[in-house]
Amino acid sequence: SFVPSDVYKNEVANCLMVAFCFLSREGARRHLALCKGRYSLCYTKICDALADREGFAFGDYSNKKQKAAGAAASAESDLDPIAEEKLHKRVRAVRAGCALSPAEVGRLRIPPPHGFTATLRRSRRNYRPAEATDTVLLDEVRYASDKLAERAEVVRMAAERQRIHDESEKAGTTLECQCCYGDYAFEELVACRDEGHLFCMDCVRRYAEERVFGLGDLGGGGGKKKSDGDSKPDSNELLCMHPDGCRSGFQYDLLKKALPPKVMQKYDELQATRAMEIAGVEGLCRCPKCDFQAVLSPSEMVFSCPIETCRFESCKLCGEPSHIPLKCEEVEKQNETDGRKKVEEAMTAARVRTCPKPGCGKRFYKVDGCNKMTCSCQT
């Protein structure tokens, strides 16, 4: 578990008061005391209290509607993106110095038995303490700010989609998705490049997630044969989903609009990997842990991954952990090692006996002699 340094403890309250200009110093300290002294936990808790929704700050947001989990959501379990966008604007305004409503002040009150009001009567405008120096605290401040901004942008885009959809539905100009057959505005659809088959962003997102995270490729022949007997090559881009067998791809800017950043990042990585494979780069090696690729000279037999969080050393030929000076065929593969250990453990367990005396329970096995065995407790 994380143990904050003395510097972290001295600076965390100041950072919290900069992020929320309505917090008093004592209020910041008491909120931190309820959150194990962690900045990120306290930041999340205060944002959730302002919006009166649990999971507001860092929770996942799923396109049109999200299951609400806060106290105010008990009467209305689904909150549409436009209402969610208003909450984000309100939280941003309050953090910028707008006056808190009585309800917001009440939600920020420290719960009983303390019953302490953590807010100032008037938000401070220009609070500039000394810059934080603790690296862990700085990382938490940056992460919390970026995460809330990222979520606000997702909500803004979802709200914009909702407004466009409502206007198109009212005007009677919706088009049909050729995957789920739902009705959508033209701006909510993604068309394949050659044939113009239309798919909604939700279907494209699910299809891309299945490809890049589930199957680990971008589609193609998958081993299927054409009528002339040739095998279809794997694709280096996401292919059209239309059931007529269309093999057109999608424009990159349309995919970027439809896919979340993490999916898009993985898609780019798979495209780069596939491009390297097609180019036939000599000496190209891949880390078996993190998939980082690099070119090694013929004399190098160990691939040392340069990624800071990985640093795994593997054999260039077999991908197993470095086993110099042994040859690849002399090294037992990991799955073979696991299987052998299981068999050996099962054989040992079959021979081991346990003393039946209550409170003893010593384990032993017979090496030779008759079947009568005596425990050290004389049982």
Side-chain angles (χ1 to χ4, degrees), residues 248-299:
S248 172
F250 298 94
Q251 290 185 9
Y252 186 83
D253 57 338
L254 293 180
L255 285 179
K256 195 170 183 180
K257 185 174 72 171
L259 301 182
K262 288 184 179 179
V263 180
M264 202 66 203
Q265 180 183 355
K266 185 64 176 178
Y267 175 76
D268 290 340
E269 290 174 3
L270 284 177
Q271 270 201 317
T273 299
R274 182 61 186 150
M276 297 284 278
E277 292 173 353
I278 293 174
V281 179
E282 187 176 352
L284 182 66
C285 296
R286 178 186 299 177
C287 174
K289 293 290 185 182
C290 68
D291 288 335
F292 178 84
Q293 297 183 83
V295 176
L296 296 185
S297 64
S299 60

Side-chain angles (χ1 to χ4, degrees), residues 5-23:
S5 64
D6 292 337
V7 177
Y8 184 103
K9 293 177 182 178
N10 292 333
E11 296 177 342
V12 64
N14 284 336
C15 290
L16 205 61
M17 291 160 63
V18 170
F20 302 101
C21 58
F22 51 80
L23 276 183

Side-chain angles (χ1 to χ4, degrees), residues 77-97:
S77 60
D78 288 325
L79 195 64
D80 65 78
I82 296 175
E84 182 92 354
E85 184 184 34
K86 290 180 180 177
L87 286 179
H88 274 276
K89 287 182 178 178
R90 175 59 187 167
V91 170
R92 189 161 56 246
V94 167
R95 291 185 60 210

Side-chain angles (χ1 to χ4, degrees), residues 122-142:
R122 183 179 300 171
S123 298
R124 60 175 71 83
R125 296 284 181 171
N126 298 309
Y127 182 62
R128 294 289 183 270
E131 292 288 336
T133 58
D134 187 87
T135 55
V136 175
L137 179 57
L138 288 172
D139 288 342
E140 283 193 58
V141 170
R142 192 179 305 112

